[in-house]
Amino acid sequence: MLTITQALYDQIVAHAREDHPDEACGVVAGPAGSDRPERFIPMLNAAMSPTFYEFDSGDLLKLYREMDDRDEEPVVIYHSHTATEAYPSRTDISYANEPGAHYVLVSTADTDGLGDFQFRSFRIVDGQVTEEEVRVVTDY
């Protein structure tokens, strides 16, 4: 189960809506080994695409060095789908290389009247996708 604060949930959703019609992406870091998302880090979608996201390799390297210096790890890796449901695509699954992370997908398809808003979380390990419950709390 992903437990996340309302403030972080709102920041992820706001980023997804702000970048629409392009996919938004980012990370929520937390203390290593805690499974507690704490620090919201919106990233630039280097692909600038409505159907694909890509972290800028330089930004990603900088982020991982920063997390290492702060004894953090990526607890949540998120991105949005702009015209489809919030479920990992084959590409998303192939790029999922953090087995301990929660992969959050937000669908902004509702922005265009194409469907209901969705905020879903998944574990992706060795190509296997498992949806998990999302619990939104006021604070930890």
Side-chain angles (χ1 to χ4, degrees), residues 76-114:
V76 170
I77 298 172
Y78 73 87
H79 76 281
S80 61
H81 282 181
T82 61
T84 59
E85 72 172 320
Y87 191 85
S89 68
R90 285 189 308 248
T91 304
D92 297 338
I93 295 165
S94 70
Y95 284 172
N97 61 359
E98 289 287 348
H102 303 270
Y103 286 88
V104 166
L105 278 100
V106 175
S107 175
T108 56
D110 66 308
T111 305
D112 297 330
L114 297 174

Side-chain angles (χ1 to χ4, degrees), residues 5-17:
T5 63
Q6 185 69 57
L8 288 168
Y9 178 100
D10 291 345
Q11 286 177 297
I12 292 170
V13 171
H15 185 208
R17 291 197 183 282

Side-chain angles (χ1 to χ4, degrees), residues 62-72:
K62 180 181 170 192
L63 171 62
Y64 271 81
R65 285 182 176 153
E66 185 180 289
M67 286 190 298
D68 192 47
D69 289 345
R70 296 170 62 121
D71 198 27
E72 292 177 327

Side-chain angles (χ1 to χ4, degrees), residues 87 93 96 122-131:
Y87 191 85
I93 295 165
F122 304 87
R123 295 291 190 151
I124 305 173
V125 180
D126 296 328
Q128 297 298 311
V129 178
T130 306
E131 186 165 7

Side-chain angles (χ1 to χ4, degrees), residues 51-67:
T51 59
F52 181 74
Y53 82 97
E54 181 178 29
F55 291 119
D56 176 83
S57 59
D59 289 348
L60 197 57
L61 179 60
K62 180 181 170 192
L63 171 62
Y64 271 81
R65 285 182 176 153
E66 185 180 289
M67 286 190 298

